[in-house]
């Protein structure tokens, strides 16, 4: 196929800009861009030239971005609501409940 160094030099800026437009994060766009070219290197022999190389690279990038979003959603921290009772409130509620049962 083509020389990956040449592909990288030619398409890296465009792929980076595309990924930056998706994530709006410079560091993440850089990481995703590097991963795009790593994945492309692994599977370049499977590229059937049914679309432009740039489009293929951006498709890889889009899938990596979606994967990142799913990972973030999975690892998302849930903040505790103010209406969740504290430990001391739970104890008091249990004591009151027990007292009502004894009456």
């Amino acid at each position: 196929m083509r020389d990956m160094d040449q592909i990288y030099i030619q398409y890296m800026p465009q792929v980076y800009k595309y990924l930056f437009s998706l994530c709006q994060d410079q560091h993440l766009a850089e990481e995703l861009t590097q991963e795009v070219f790593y994945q492309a290197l692994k599977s370049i022999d499977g590229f059937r030239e049914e679309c432009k190389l740039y489009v293929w690279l951006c498709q890889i990038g889009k899938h990596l971005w979606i994967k990142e979003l799913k990972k973030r959603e999975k690892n998302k921290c849930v903040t505790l609501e103010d209406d969740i009772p504290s430990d001391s409130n739970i104890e008091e509620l249990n004591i009151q409940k027990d007292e009502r049962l004894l009456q």
Side-chain angles (χ1 to χ4, degrees):
M1 201 73 190
R2 301 178 185 183
D3 182 39
M4 277 307 287
D5 291 335
Q6 286 300 102
I7 292 171
Y8 182 81
I9 291 168
Q10 183 176 354
Y11 293 106
M12 187 280 296
Q14 294 170 296
V15 171
Y16 170 80
K17 287 176 187 176
Y18 171 71
L19 291 168
F20 183 79
S21 74
L22 293 177
C23 68
Q24 298 295 306
D25 180 316
Q26 177 184 355
H27 298 292
L28 181 57
E30 289 171 1
E31 288 179 30
L32 291 173
T33 301
Q34 294 303 314
E35 185 65 20
V36 164
F37 285 96
Y38 173 71
Q39 294 296 326
L41 178 63
K42 285 180 18 180
S43 58
I44 192 72
D45 292 332
F47 177 60
R48 292 173 275 167
E49 299 187 36
E50 294 174 355
C51 62
K52 293 181 179 181
L53 187 57
Y54 168 72
V55 173
W56 182 67
L57 293 169
C58 287
Q59 287 174 340
I60 294 171
K62 181 181 77 171
H63 290 293
L64 290 170
W65 170 237
I66 292 169
K67 187 177 174 181
E68 177 68 23
L69 289 175
K70 288 179 181 177
K71 184 175 93 175
R72 287 178 180 207
E73 185 65 31
K74 182 179 171 184
N75 294 331
K76 193 175 188 180
C77 293
V78 178
T79 58
L80 296 177
E81 301 295 326
D82 292 335
D83 60 341
I84 296 176
S86 68
D87 288 341
S88 61
N89 289 343
I90 292 173
E91 289 177 21
E92 290 175 24
L93 292 172
N94 284 333
I95 290 170
Q96 290 173 4
K97 187 177 176 182
D98 289 344
E99 288 175 354
R100 277 186 260 139
L101 290 173
L102 293 175
Q103 291 179 352

